[in-house]
Amino acid sequence: PGHCYRLYTPAVFGNLMQDFTQPEICNTPVDSLILLMKSMGIQNISNFPFPTAMQEDILVSAMKHLRRIEALDGNYRATALGKELALYPLLPRYARMLHLARKPFEEGSILGPMVAIVSCLSNLTDIFIHVDEPEEDPPEEDEERDDNAEDENGNAASNEEEAERRSRRWLKKQREDERKKRKETYEKYKKVISKYSNP
């Protein structure tokens, strides 16, 4: 027993939401999964009985990437480096960055700055400011008269139209909140990188 409160409008539910969420394997990089399976001796990834089959182009792309960072050899088997990278709780590309940073350089250790960079890149929040993305959403032409919208006969806007306007406002607020969160995260990690770059 209890109460359930929807945090979205009927229009958002009916027009923008999918009937079912996509399987996680379709939405996340599979590099780590493939490298782990390869390091365990499972070679035929394409025929492995996943609950949801992995798309062939995604599999091929991930295998090529793992070979490029030397986690797989020419026969697409896990190398010694690949088995070591599989132990990191990170995507293989980031594990490779940390592995390289462990080596001594003439200028000194770069492990500290690299840890900061990997922390930024592996964060779930996009910290980059996209130059082609407008800072604010363009105003809607009928935004000024949304609340008092009337048709040619003087009748008030229908409930469906009102729900659609609420949906637009809700989506606009979501985008604004996302931009704000992205900028805050960007500033936070910029301070961290500055700290390591200027000892």
Side-chain angles (χ1 to χ4, degrees):
H3 299 279
C4 178
Y5 296 94
R6 296 184 306 180
L7 301 180
Y8 46 83
T9 65
V12 170
F13 178 78
N15 300 328
L16 301 179
M17 292 188 176
Q18 298 177 339
D19 293 336
F20 303 98
T21 56
Q22 284 190 326
E24 193 69 14
I25 198 171
C26 299
N27 298 320
T28 56
V30 296
D31 308 35
S32 297
L33 174 62
I34 292 175
L35 183 57
L36 178 61
M37 295 176 68
K38 289 286 187 178
S39 65
M40 294 171 62
I42 302 173
Q43 303 302 332
N44 198 346
I45 307 294
S46 58
N47 290 335
F48 190 83
F50 291 106
T52 300
M54 191 183 303
Q55 296 181 19
E56 187 67 23
D57 57 336
I58 294 178
L59 174 61
V60 172
S61 176
M63 298 271 277
K64 288 182 178 179
H65 171 72
L66 291 172
R67 185 178 176 184
R68 192 177 303 121
I69 64 174
E70 300 177 346
L72 300 180
D73 60 18
N75 296 320
Y76 293 99
R77 295 179 178 272
T79 61
L81 173 62
K83 293 179 180 180
E84 184 177 347
L85 298 182
L87 300 176
Y88 286 75
L90 294 166
L91 290 175
R93 68 192 70 178
Y94 302 141
R96 178 67 164 140
M97 292 169 64
L98 293 181
H99 184 271
L100 286 173
R102 290 167 49 191
K103 298 181 179 180
F105 291 87
E106 294 181 0
E107 296 79 6
S109 175
I110 63 170
L111 183 58
M114 189 63 71
V115 168
I117 293 173
V118 169
S119 298
C120 296
L121 295 175
S122 61
N123 191 283
L124 295 178
T125 303
D126 185 3
I127 66 169
F128 297 102
I129 306 300
H130 302 279
V131 295
D132 58 341
E133 180 180 289
E135 286 295 318
E136 296 181 359
D137 293 323
E140 299 176 7
E141 295 181 359
D142 60 343
E143 187 173 5
E144 295 295 331
R145 57 178 185 274
D146 270 352
D147 294 333
N148 299 312
E150 296 183 355
D151 60 20
E152 295 179 356
N153 298 323
N155 297 324
S158 66
N159 291 335
E160 183 178 350
E161 291 171 339
E162 178 61 26
E164 183 65 27
R165 287 195 294 272
R166 287 200 301 268
S167 298
R168 289 200 302 268
R169 288 194 291 267
W170 181 81
L171 289 172
K172 182 177 180 181
K173 186 178 185 303
Q174 294 298 310
R175 287 194 292 266
E176 291 173 349
D177 291 345
E178 180 62 28
R179 290 193 192 100
K180 182 179 179 181
K181 183 178 180 181
R182 186 185 304 164
K183 288 184 177 180
E184 290 175 350
T185 307
Y186 172 79
E187 293 297 330
K188 178 175 67 174
Y189 282 107
K190 187 168 70 172
K191 291 179 181 178
V192 173
I193 294 176
S194 299
K195 177 181 178 181
Y196 284 105
S197 301
N198 302 293

